[in-house]
Amino acid sequence: MSSARSDEKRALSAAARLYAVQALFQMEASGQSADRVQREFRDFRIGAEDEGGVQPEADENLFRRITDDAVTWQSRIDQSTDRALVAKWPIDRIDPVLRALFRAAGAELVTPKTPPRVVIVEYVKLAEAFFPEGREPKFVNAVLDHMAHSLRPEAFG
């Protein structure tokens, strides 16, 4: 694969992860179904033009897989997240953006399609974008590392 093609694939994957976090946040905040939110993102957000310009294209299959798997495996993902958090801060008490981010990352960790270290790096980058001045990216790194070891121990030999 050429370098340009590889860069394009990475950009499409990064955008899919960003959209998945946003969609999971929206689903929780509004109580909308995954199908409805996925349809809204496909029709009005991914690659769409708005007053701010053209939104980035994304790997729609990855976007759909992350959001579907986050819903399917939410209980398992939330339990894994809870085990990684301090006892005083269960998942239902953390920032809803972080909760959506942990659910999206957890969806990728539950299935063995993406190496855990890649999942951690990609979602820490998203945390840096959402929280550029805060300590959240380090927190996300620590929680995802714990979750990855718990959900995919075979990947750490």
Side-chain angles (χ1 to χ4, degrees):
M1 183 181 307
S2 73
S3 178
R5 177 75 180 124
S6 179
D7 289 346
E8 179 184 350
K9 185 173 174 13
R10 271 195 294 277
L12 292 173
S13 295
R17 289 180 175 103
L18 172 64
Y19 288 132
V21 171
Q22 292 172 335
L24 291 168
F25 177 90
Q26 181 176 327
M27 288 164 53
E28 181 179 353
S30 68
Q32 294 174 323
S33 71
D35 288 340
R36 182 173 177 178
V37 172
Q38 287 171 343
R39 197 170 33 258
E40 178 185 324
F41 272 72
R42 184 189 65 237
D43 294 346
F44 302 108
R45 295 201 190 176
I46 298 173
E49 189 171 337
D50 62 15
E51 60 276 350
V54 177
Q55 299 302 310
E57 291 293 333
D59 178 338
E60 289 190 41
N61 290 328
L62 178 60
F63 166 74
R64 199 170 25 264
R65 183 169 49 92
I66 292 169
T67 53
D68 285 342
D69 287 351
V71 170
T72 300
W73 298 103
Q74 183 174 329
S75 178
R76 183 174 178 200
I77 293 165
D78 286 357
Q79 288 171 3
S80 178
T81 306
D82 269 337
R83 285 191 298 272
L85 295 169
V86 177
K88 293 179 186 177
W89 292 101
I91 192 167
D92 60 340
R93 287 191 62 194
I94 64 171
D95 182 285
V97 173
L98 288 175
R99 195 167 35 249
L101 189 143
F102 289 139
R103 287 177 177 157
E108 289 201 71
L109 290 170
V110 168
T111 58
K113 295 184 189 274
T114 307
R117 293 183 203 287
V118 172
V119 172
I120 293 168
V121 167
E122 293 301 318
Y123 285 95
V124 167
K125 286 179 188 175
L126 281 176
E128 290 168 347
F130 282 115
F131 305 98
E133 303 297 323
R135 294 180 288 178
E136 289 85 353
K138 289 181 181 179
F139 174 65
V140 166
N141 186 56
V143 170
L144 291 182
D145 184 65
H146 189 281
M147 288 173 65
H149 279 83
S150 170
L151 293 169
R152 302 263 299 278
E154 74 286 351
F156 296 95

